[in-house]
Amino acid sequence: MNIGLTGGIASGKSTVSAMLVSRGAILIDADRIAREVVEPGSPALTKIAERFGQAVIQADGTLDRKRLGELIFADSAARKDLEGLLHPSIRALMRERMETFEKLYPDKLVVVDVPLLYESGLQTMFSQIMVVYVPREVQLDRLVKRSGLTPEQAENRLEAQMSIELKKEQADYVIDNQGTLEETQQLVREFWVGKGLT
């Protein structure tokens, strides 16, 4: 059994995924896979350098994520180009790991944390979708405090994603993460018990 876990930037997906893992779920993190596919020497990193220039490659041969982020969050066409370069490799690896874990551990819940799940049209990959929700103003506040971004930069990042309200409407499960950790933990517990997981 699997679920796709998503939400908005700074909504608390990592917190919720950790809570699910602590109950016995297996986590596949799309962000971690995205880092794997751009390791030095990878075909994806070569394509990124060809499209965005050597300025996005650091002296040690690794991707300069901050520099690339500045380019893509300011330019929707550049962001689409990057997605076109990375998404096929990320999806293939995600699907491969999901299938492996579901075969090896048929009784466990496989949770796939995908920040841009809806934006990438990946809904059909999962049995059900869980959205970690906080209102937009909470997202903005957390993003500015957490990342040291200006309010304008934080707005740009939110604008690059589908509205959190739309994600909430389309979800099979919503974990409202604007309260205390204990309240979030209780919602995760209710989900777990409701699914008949032990």
Side-chain angles (χ1 to χ4, degrees):
M1 179 181 12
N2 69 64
I3 61 163
L5 176 73
T6 195
I9 193 166
S11 63
K13 293 180 302 298
S14 299
T15 299
V16 171
S17 64
M19 289 175 180
L20 290 164
V21 167
S22 75
R23 294 183 164 274
I26 297 169
L27 178 67
I28 299 170
D29 183 338
D31 276 347
R32 189 167 293 145
I33 290 174
R35 284 192 284 279
E36 285 177 42
V37 301
V38 293
E39 285 176 353
S42 67
L45 187 62
T46 302
K47 289 176 187 169
I48 289 169
E50 285 167 4
R51 165 60 182 85
F52 295 97
Q54 285 300 315
V56 299
I57 309 297
Q58 300 186 101
D60 64 357
T62 59
L63 181 63
D64 186 336
R65 295 179 171 283
K66 189 170 190 294
R67 178 81 188 103
L68 184 61
E70 287 165 3
L71 293 173
I72 65 162
F73 285 111
D75 180 349
S76 60
R79 191 166 60 249
K80 283 271 175 260
D81 288 350
L82 180 67
E83 288 167 3
L85 295 174
L86 293 182
H87 286 187
S89 307
I90 294 169
R91 283 176 196 169
L93 204 45
M94 237 167 38
R95 188 169 278 118
E96 182 187 308
R97 290 192 184 163
M98 282 169 68
E99 288 169 2
T100 300
F101 286 137
E102 286 181 50
K103 276 186 196 131
L104 288 174
Y105 309 102
D107 299 332
K108 289 195 176 273
L109 177 67
V110 177
V111 176
V112 189
D113 180 344
V114 188
L116 300 177
L117 189 153
Y118 287 113
E119 291 88 339
S120 304
L122 298 181
Q123 299 91 309
T124 56
M125 273 183 75
F126 307 103
S127 307
Q128 293 179 308
I129 312 261
M130 174 184 282
V131 166
V132 181
Y133 171 81
V134 295
R136 185 183 171 93
E137 59 272 14
V138 175
Q139 278 183 283
L140 268 174
D141 185 55
R142 286 183 183 174
L143 196 49
V144 168
K145 287 177 180 163
R146 173 181 95 182
S147 308
L149 298 172
T150 65
E152 184 186 17
Q153 289 170 322
E155 277 285 355
N156 285 343
R157 302 228 167 170
L158 287 186
E159 285 301 319
Q161 295 188 352
M162 180 177 166
S163 150
I164 190 77
E165 299 300 333
L166 273 176
K167 290 181 183 183
K168 180 182 176 186
E169 283 171 25
Q170 293 182 33
D172 297 295
Y173 301 98
V174 175
I175 300 291
D176 190 319
N177 190 35
Q178 57 185 317
T180 64
L181 269 179
E182 291 72 25
E183 287 167 334
T184 301
Q185 189 79 259
Q186 178 58 30
L187 292 171
V188 169
R189 189 180 304 117
E190 288 167 11
F191 161 80
W192 196 264
V193 172
K195 292 293 285 177
L197 297 160
T198 52

